[in-house]
Amino acid sequence: MMRSVKTGLAIALTLTCGVQHAPSFAQDRGHMAQSDAPVDLVHPLVGTANDGQTFPIAGVPFAMSDWTPETRPDETKCIAPYYYNDARISGFRGSHFLSGSCAQDYGSFTVMPLRDATKLTPAERASAFSHSTEHATPYRYSVDLADSGIHAEMTGTLHSGILEFRYPTDANSATIVLQSNLRLGENRVDIDAAHGEITGSNPVYRIYAGNGQPAGFSGHAVLQIDAPIRSFGTFNVAVDRSIGPGISWMGGNTPVGAYVTVDLPPDHIVRVRIGTSFVSVDEARHNLQAEIPTWNFDTIADRAKAAWQQQLGRISIAGNHADRTVFYTALYHASLVPRTFSDVSGTYPRFADGTHIEHTAGTYYDDYSVWDTFRAVHPLYTILDPQRDSAMVESLILKGEQGGFLPIFPAWNSYTSEMIGDHIAAIVTDAYIKGIRGFDTASAWRLIYQNATVTPPRDQYVLGKGRRALDDYSALGYIPLENPVRDAFHKGEQVSRTLEYAYDDFVVGELAAALGHTAEAAAMHKRSANWHNVLDPETGFARGRHRDGTWDSPFDPTKPYHYITEGLPYQYTFFVPQDVPGLIAAVGGNAAFVEKLDGLFDGGFYNHGNEPSHHIAYLYNFAGAPAQTQRRVHDALLANYKDGPGGYTGNDDAGQMSAWYVFSALGFYPVTPGTPQYQIGTPRFDHMTLHLPGGKALHINAPGAEAGSIYVRSVSLNGKPLHRWYLLHSEIVNGGTLDFTMASKPPVASASPAQ
């Protein structure tokens, strides 16, 4: 999605200025519990510096609220809660920031332990910390707060969190703060001293389409403390930083908070537990009671560890290669969102109308970074966790039913129209084509076909419903430069929209064919050839086109243009995943296609830090040059993924960067979601196993891969040679043995192209 070019690190805040002078990340790793278990190989701090936009989350996979240290104390767009190079922690947040993105946090609350109630606002209460005392795992985070001497730990469940604070021996009392991170609207906190509880509500407001309008629901929190409250008060962050001792509630249109003070027990440890909900304070309390009925921190942390071990243990890697850490950290990052949005009881705010409450018997998910995750994140779920993928697809269909149109990029349970394309069609079709059921297929088809053929009324369109510029696309077969596409966050970008709509039309056609809608399948497959209309035959590149059919000039495919999304014409020329053979023919055949690909990579125009490039290395397969795919994929694996805070070269975008690594390290990648094919690349490890549903397993053997033999001489499945450069979904999920014969040098002649 929209790039954050070091956004978080470029903003100077009084709270967080300065660079932490601490031991290196490699040294810090020695403080973490190490084992061969995948969960203990994850380094959640990867991607928290430079452009990764990740943040260390301690809890369970796909949780409603992500428990994280906070070094940036608000819900500003494009600012993650935590950055590695910040020097001070202002609290511990139950965050809803879309991991790896340039979106916003929303409905969040922050907890901070203090020695007294004299400094309550984020800037005042923030404490210095050292990375040498910071221990981050997927299931447990701890750090020493240098200014107060308090040792803090946290872990989480699906809807709740528990934090443990160990105070120094010279402390007599403990003060706990709960603050709303309000962005817009009216928030409130209340204290019930008799029951040892603070509650709060933080309203959610939209950005992108409908910017500034209420989403109709709030983030709600219930904090309970394990000691009798001695005194309490409330405060307002913005209004003279006022403190109201003895006042049990506060509200307003600026962030408010509450604090309670308790006497320290003999062990000097104070624990708080917090339930969260998007429905009500009562549901937040119910979630907390259901998930954390105990004050035993270690019990909850152990459960979180077990949940992550189950998720990460779906893939095992033999040996002790250092890049196993990169792999499992990537799998961790690909297992965070879409987030659970429904409560333990099944209640959740109605999509695009959060004032009404719906109920599900399963799990309702939200925060889909669709433009990113249709490529590899959701295809990964179809293999590793098809049951969850089915629930995620059903959640998308529910959004369409409740809102009237399928959303383009559903986040904070609202329409956003944040990016281009209409790729929910790809997510749904990919699941259906691969045999995943458990969702309303008839409703899915109706909504997908409606998105592809109907523009909603103007008052709905401006709020994010429907494909942008569908009228011109349908009439002309492309979106002309004269159409500015004003009603979008990403305005213009006409060529990229045309290319992506053509792919979307293809997957709509595939679903239509699978469901027996013959006429609609033919129409959509015909329209999927619209990519031809923005491929300039003279230059062989995607290029802006006017309404009269003439091409934009001057033109240089290596330069950015307003009609290309977050990239170059050179990159977007290769976004024809539905018809790569047709693209090869259009640019002059295999040799010319390989030469064009080489020009992209060798000229420095490949950008792995953004999604439009992610499939490109695999396209050599189609032109009979699989060795080039293998070399380019291997180079990308090593160049763009490191074990360190700056380990990602671009926004992780809800796990898409990470999912690319997971797939590519396994040795195959879904170039065309919506079809059952995965292009073969080059495995990163010698021996891997996919532990599949139903007790099946796929054993992947590539001896020599770790030692530098990156070229594939041959592939066999269950002892039978594969004479093609792709795998079928059924071949993967049915299990068996996939054997690669590896070599350190490419073969003299490549094998036949993939079909």
Side-chain angles (χ1 to χ4, degrees):
M1 63 185 293
M2 182 179 177
R3 300 299 90 191
S4 168
V5 185
K6 301 186 179 178
T7 308
L9 302 181
I11 294 179
L13 298 177
T14 301
L15 171 63
T16 55
C17 63
V19 175
Q20 182 76 10
H21 297 287
S24 70
F25 185 76
Q27 291 172 315
D28 294 343
R29 286 168 44 195
H31 295 278
M32 290 186 278
Q34 294 296 305
S35 75
D36 269 345
V39 69
D40 288 320
L41 293 172
V42 174
H43 292 162
L45 296 177
V46 167
T48 60
N50 300 334
D51 292 338
Q53 288 289 97
T54 62
F55 55 105
I57 295 168
V60 298
F62 307 103
M64 172 179 284
S65 298
D66 296 326
W67 297 100
T68 182
E70 172 190 279
T71 67
R72 301 291 175 103
D74 53 31
E75 294 182 348
T76 303
K77 183 181 183 298
C78 285
I79 303 298
Y82 173 99
Y83 290 92
Y84 185 83
N85 291 323
D86 287 343
R88 304 182 72 79
I89 286 176
S90 54
F92 302 92
R93 188 189 302 184
S95 175
H96 309 123
F97 187 80
L98 189 61
S99 177
S101 78
C102 189
Q104 65 170 354
D105 207 337
Y106 63 92
S108 70
F109 284 84
T110 297
V111 181
M112 184 64 170
L114 302 170
R115 294 183 66 149
D116 55 47
T118 59
K119 297 180 179 180
L120 297 172
T121 67
E124 294 172 331
R125 71 181 184 238
S127 172
F129 73 104
S130 170
H131 292 303
S132 64
T133 71
E134 182 181 45
H135 309 155
T137 72
Y139 55 91
R140 189 171 189 152
Y141 174 92
S142 66
V143 70
D144 289 344
L145 302 175
D147 292 3
S148 62
I150 298 170
H151 177 76
E153 293 199 57
M154 65 180 172
T155 187
T157 62
L158 205 57
H159 303 85
S160 308
I162 185 169
L163 298 92
E164 183 173 279
F165 306 122
R166 186 176 69 241
Y167 279 72
T169 56
D170 64 343
N172 297 314
S173 63
T175 295
I176 304 297
V177 167
L178 178 70
Q179 183 199 306
S180 160
N181 297 308
L182 179 75
R183 189 174 69 89
L184 290 171
E186 299 275 337
N187 62 161
R188 176 171 175 142
V189 292
D190 290 86
I191 302 169
D192 182 348
H195 294 93
E197 191 174 86
I198 306 174
T199 60
S201 299
N202 177 6
V204 179
Y205 278 72
R206 299 170 65 182
I207 60 173
Y208 308 128
N211 184 41
Q213 297 184 13
F217 67 96
S218 298
H220 303 280
V222 172
L223 180 148
Q224 298 173 349
I225 190 166
D226 73 341
I229 294 175
R230 188 181 74 189
S231 61
F232 57 85
T234 55
F235 64 97
N236 188 308
V237 171
V239 183
D240 298 325
R241 299 177 177 176
S242 58
I243 299 175
I247 298 175
S248 63
W249 74 272
M250 183 169 284
N253 59 6
T254 54
V256 298
Y259 64 88
V260 295
T261 299
V262 301
D263 293 323
L264 284 169
D267 63 3
H268 280 238
I269 293 176
V270 173
R271 298 173 186 86
V272 299
R273 55 192 182 192
I274 310 167
T276 64
S277 169
F278 294 119
V279 170
S280 67
V281 165
D282 286 342
E283 287 295 336
R285 186 180 293 111
H286 181 241
N287 291 338
L288 178 59
Q289 292 168 344
E291 294 178 347
I292 309 182
T294 177
W295 288 106
N296 191 314
F297 179 91
D298 289 338
T299 295
I300 305 304
D302 288 345
R303 291 175 185 170
K305 182 177 183 178
W308 273 113
Q309 185 58 39
Q310 180 183 30
Q311 178 68 15
L312 302 173
R314 298 174 192 273
I315 304 175
S316 59
I317 303 172
N320 58 4
H321 194 279
D323 279 0
R324 289 187 306 153
T325 286
V326 178
F327 182 93
Y328 285 116
T329 300
L331 187 53
Y332 158 79
H333 281 137
S335 304
L336 299 173
V337 285
R339 77 179 69 257
T340 297
F341 213 77
S342 53
D343 295 313
V344 170
S345 67
T347 58
Y348 66 93
R350 184 179 180 88
F351 180 74
D353 179 15
T355 59
H356 291 81
I357 304 304
E358 299 286 344
H359 184 276
T360 177
T363 301
Y364 174 81
Y365 292 90
D366 195 51
D367 288 351
Y368 291 74
S369 191
V370 173
W371 186 76
D372 309 289
T373 58
F374 85 90
R375 304 166 197 266
V377 173
H378 287 280
L380 185 63
Y381 301 158
T382 68
I383 296 172
L384 298 182
D385 198 349
Q387 184 174 359
R388 189 187 302 274
D389 192 61
S390 174
M392 290 179 174
V393 168
E394 177 64 13
S395 296
L396 291 171
I397 296 166
L398 287 171
K399 296 176 196 302
E401 291 174 339
Q402 293 168 13
F405 277 77
L406 280 177
I408 301 300
F409 190 106
W412 35 98
N413 210 35
S414 303
Y415 290 100
T416 68
S417 196
E418 198 279 339
M419 293 296 295
I420 70 169
D422 187 17
H423 303 315
I424 285 179
I427 293 173
V428 176
T429 301
D430 196 52
Y432 189 84
I433 292 297
K434 293 173 179 176
I436 295 173
R437 300 293 185 268
F439 54 88
D440 189 335
T441 305
S443 185
W445 163 248
R446 178 183 63 81
L447 290 162
I448 286 172
Y449 190 65
Q450 175 182 259
N451 264 36
T453 57
V454 177
T455 296
R458 174 72 182 169
D459 61 335
Q460 298 180 44
Y461 180 79
V462 297
L463 293 179
K465 296 183 182 182
R467 290 192 187 185
R468 308 293 92 175
L470 178 61
D471 290 348
D472 268 343
Y473 175 78
S474 299
L476 300 175
Y478 65 98
I479 302 172
L481 298 182
E482 286 76 11
N483 186 335
V485 197
R486 288 193 180 94
D487 296 310
F489 180 72
H490 279 242
K491 296 173 174 57
E493 304 181 0
Q494 298 90 341
V495 170
S496 294
R497 289 181 197 278
T498 298
L499 290 167
E500 297 201 17
Y501 286 165
Y503 161 71
D504 293 327
D505 290 342
F506 166 78
V507 296
V508 175
E510 292 294 285
L511 183 60
L515 295 174
H517 302 298
T518 307
E520 291 87 348
M524 289 293 103
H525 281 140
K526 180 179 179 180
R527 216 168 71 170
S528 73
N530 280 347
W531 61 270
H532 285 282
N533 298 329
V534 289
L535 185 74
D536 174 17
E538 181 178 346
T539 64
F541 288 99
R543 185 174 180 180
R545 195 171 189 183
H546 295 285
R547 192 175 293 276
D548 64 6
T550 59
W551 299 97
D552 185 50
S553 186
F555 176 70
D556 180 346
T558 68
K559 303 297 183 185
Y561 292 91
H562 66 88
Y563 52 75
I564 296 293
T565 302
E566 297 182 3
L568 307 172
Y570 209 143
Q571 297 157 359
Y572 253 97
T573 295
F574 296 106
F575 192 80
V576 190
Q578 73 276 22
D579 188 12
V580 181
L583 178 62
I584 292 172
V587 301
N590 285 353
F593 188 72
V594 169
E595 183 180 1
K596 189 178 288 286
L597 284 170
D598 284 344
L600 177 81
F601 285 96
D602 296 337
F605 305 119
Y606 178 79
N607 177 17
H608 193 79
N610 207 358
E611 280 72 18
S613 287
H614 279 188
H615 68 293
I616 296 177
Y618 288 90
L619 300 184
Y620 285 101
N621 278 1
F622 293 84
Q628 284 293 79
T629 280
Q630 295 149 25
R631 179 165 73 93
R632 302 299 189 185
V633 168
H634 178 77
D635 290 347
L637 284 166
L638 297 188
N640 296 283
Y641 302 86
K642 307 289 185 184
D643 181 13
Y648 290 164
T649 56
N651 293 176
D652 192 39
D653 284 330
Q656 169 56 30
M657 279 277 291
S658 294
W660 186 95
Y661 186 94
V662 172
F663 264 123
S664 295
L666 291 172
F668 48 89
Y669 186 81
V671 166
T672 314
T675 71
Q677 292 187 8
Y678 302 80
Q679 293 298 313
I680 292 173
T682 178
R684 181 70 187 96
F685 303 99
D686 288 0
H687 302 287
M688 300 169 282
T689 300
L690 299 182
H691 302 283
L692 302 163
K696 298 178 181 179
L698 178 68
H699 304 282
I700 303 172
N701 300 310
E706 296 172 9
S709 294
I710 67 171
Y711 295 102
V712 178
R713 289 293 177 89
S714 64
V715 185
S716 64
L717 180 65
N718 298 324
K720 297 181 179 180
L722 280 181
H723 299 292
R724 47 181 160 87
W725 290 103
Y726 64 86
L727 293 169
L728 297 175
H729 183 77
S730 59
E731 293 170 337
I732 295 170
V733 299
N734 285 337
T737 302
L738 183 64
D739 289 309
F740 290 81
T741 301
M742 308 299 293
S744 59
K745 295 181 180 180
V748 175
S750 294
S752 60
Q755 300 297 318

